[in-house]
Amino acid sequence: MATKKDAMISSVLLLLVLLCGPWAGCRAHNITAILERYPEYSLYNTYLTRTKVCDEINAHETVTCLVLDDGAMSTLAAKRPLAAIKNALRLLALLDYYDPPKLHALSSGTTLTTTLLQTTGNEAGNLGFVNITNLRGGRVGFASTAPGSKFDSTYTKSIEQIPYNLSVLAVSAPIIFPGLLDTPTAASSNLTALLEKAGCKTFARLLTTSGVLKVFQDAMAKGLTLFAPNDEAFKATDAPDLNSLSSAELVTLLQYHALPSYTPKASLKSIGGRLPTMASSAAGKYDLSVVSRGDDVSLDTGVDTSRVASTVLDDTPVCILTVDNLLLPIELFGAAPSPAPTPSPSTSPVEAPAPTPEAKAPSPKSHKKHHSPPAPPMASPESAPSDAPAAAADKADVKSAVGVATPIGTLATVAVVLTTLAMASLP
């Protein structure tokens, strides 16, 4: 028969499990790490990384990846832009869990399931869904929902499963429908027209008049992520007076709104640490950090924060995202001062001596500088290579692990203390 001590210990441990649950499920799977153990799918794995579809897969708690071997992947990728390959890979990522037993036991022998492609909102009707059907001879086929689609893609074998979270299955061929691979490339896009249509007319005008537009256009071939402030951001009461900036400072501010790499919103969620921007140079770091809470992503400059609002363009290797506020680099606008302590009601406040000019802290919104920093080079900086965010992502994995371990370790300590106290108080 259980004693009071046993019951108390069980209750505390149950509480610990319930509290740790939210952290225990974080980053439950890493599709590229799993596929690294299977060299026959190395090309598929490479394109998952290049298109950043791997980040979209890892961001979903439940997903089934239909994987192509090197032969099938080579045929799919031949002479096609990354934007088209990305859509094909998204259609192979099912947002439900299907292992071999479930495939062979489909209700009515057929079902429709949604995919990553459907979540983009770019496909008409239900073209972002996949038809799964049990065929003759025990085979399972996959096809587009487009009229007349054939089951050219069939299940070949199971690769690996994390029950009810991730299933990795090999299929014979990609799932294709008319127009899927005809995605226009970013190179054919009019950058200013896209920005104006997205409500970022002021930003587009500044890029053109400052000459920074040419810098961004030259960077698009290798990789570019643009954080475009909407027109309301320039009208905000705390927005800086751009007329007070020198030409060099304005160029720096505009280049601070871009990363020299392809980093869509799903990839930003997995990045920690500071990210170098296209303004980074010998004159200053000009970096920013990402704050992610669920589906919300914000950018922290050290002076202010801004929410990533919407995606204007996501065509590998170019991504354009809108932000709610201007991104103000600390090198230009200084750090926000700490609030002064409130004097105690029981004591009379003592007037502090006026600070000397040398000790005066810069205002976070000050725009009259004694020394304007030199403008960064009008090209992608050598000090900020296109794969810099990837290096930051590597650091993020360590930071993420520490961030998860800390609350769990703290809760474990609390549970041990509570258990010890409970046992001491009972006969």
Side-chain angles (χ1 to χ4, degrees):
M1 183 175 180
T3 64
K4 290 184 178 180
K5 285 185 178 181
D6 294 332
M8 181 65 72
I9 293 173
S10 298
S11 298
V12 173
L13 291 178
L14 177 60
L15 175 63
L16 176 61
V17 170
L18 293 174
L19 290 174
C20 291
W23 289 286
C26 292
R27 305 279 299 187
H29 49 253
N30 185 326
I31 182 60
T32 54
I34 289 174
L35 290 176
E36 283 176 359
R37 300 194 291 268
Y38 303 92
E40 62 269 37
Y41 307 109
S42 60
L43 190 58
Y44 173 91
N45 204 19
T46 296
Y47 277 104
L48 281 185
T49 302
R50 291 183 63 188
T51 61
K52 304 293 186 179
V53 171
C54 57
D55 293 329
E56 297 181 32
I57 291 172
N58 293 338
H60 282 77
E61 183 177 351
T62 303
V63 63
T64 298
C65 294
L66 305 180
V67 178
L68 302 172
D69 63 26
D70 286 352
M73 190 66 218
S74 179
T75 301
L76 171 64
K79 299 181 180 180
R80 290 193 173 98
L82 282 176
I85 297 171
K86 181 169 187 173
N87 279 344
L89 294 179
R90 281 170 164 167
L91 194 60
L92 290 171
L94 316 180
L95 299 185
D96 200 350
Y97 181 80
Y98 291 96
D99 55 13
K102 184 175 179 179
L103 285 180
H104 292 287
L106 295 175
S107 176
S108 303
T110 186
T111 189
L112 292 182
T113 187
T114 189
T115 70
L116 281 177
L117 185 63
Q118 185 69 18
T119 65
T120 65
N122 297 329
E123 302 303 328
N126 63 352
L127 287 178
F129 285 76
V130 163
N131 182 345
I132 309 176
T133 298
N134 280 323
L135 306 174
R136 294 179 180 178
R139 295 186 306 127
V140 177
F142 303 86
S144 166
T145 57
S149 296
K150 297 180 179 180
F151 290 95
D152 294 326
S153 179
T154 57
Y155 165 73
T156 57
K157 69 175 181 178
S158 171
I159 298 175
E160 197 162 321
Q161 278 84 39
I162 300 175
Y164 312 113
N165 290 115
L166 175 69
S167 180
V168 185
L169 308 174
V171 293
S172 61
I175 303 167
I176 304 295
F177 61 79
L180 175 67
L181 302 177
D182 298 333
T183 305
T185 63
S188 63
S189 302
N190 185 317
L191 194 57
T192 53
L194 287 172
L195 291 172
E196 290 174 356
K197 185 177 180 180
C200 305
K201 293 181 180 180
T202 303
F203 187 62
R205 176 179 56 79
L206 290 172
L207 293 182
T208 303
T209 57
S210 65
V212 175
L213 179 63
K214 181 64 166 60
V215 178
F216 289 167
Q217 289 174 333
D218 291 342
M220 288 173 69
K222 294 183 178 179
L224 174 71
T225 298
L226 190 58
F227 302 117
N230 57 39
D231 290 337
E232 295 302 316
F234 291 91
K235 301 175 184 177
T237 55
D238 58 348
D241 179 10
L242 299 186
N243 292 325
S244 68
L245 300 180
S246 67
S247 297
E249 289 175 329
L250 179 59
V251 167
T252 299
L253 176 63
L254 295 174
Q255 291 193 350
Y256 187 69
H257 285 74
L259 304 179
S261 64
Y262 171 64
T263 315
K265 186 175 180 179
S267 299
L268 286 173
K269 293 179 182 179
S270 64
I271 292 177
R274 305 291 293 183
L275 288 176
T277 67
M278 288 188 68
S280 299
S281 68
K285 289 184 178 180
Y286 291 98
D287 54 13
L288 48 81
S289 61
V290 180
V291 180
S292 179
R293 294 184 180 89
D295 289 333
D296 290 332
V297 177
S298 297
L299 304 174
D300 185 356
T301 70
V303 175
D304 62 354
T305 59
S306 181
R307 183 180 68 96
V308 177
S310 62
T311 299
V312 178
L313 176 71
D314 184 2
D315 284 340
T316 313
V318 178
C319 184
I320 302 176
L321 305 166
T322 64
V323 290
D324 289 340
N325 303 311
L326 286 175
L327 303 179
L328 306 179
I330 197 170
E331 288 85 353
L332 284 183
F333 300 98
S338 300
T342 303
S344 173
S346 60
T347 60
S348 300
V350 180
E351 184 176 352
T356 61
E358 291 78 12
K360 187 176 180 180
S363 169
K365 304 299 180 184
S366 174
H367 315 301
K368 295 182 180 180
K369 316 297 290 182
H370 293 293
H371 300 285
S372 298
M378 297 291 283
S380 298
E382 293 292 335
S383 60
S386 62
D387 59 349
D394 292 338
K395 296 179 182 178
D397 289 339
V398 177
K399 183 176 180 181
S400 176
V402 173
V404 171
T406 300
I408 294 178
T410 302
L411 290 170
T413 302
V414 172
V416 171
V417 172
L418 290 176
T419 303
T420 303
L421 293 176
M423 293 177 66
S425 65
L426 293 174

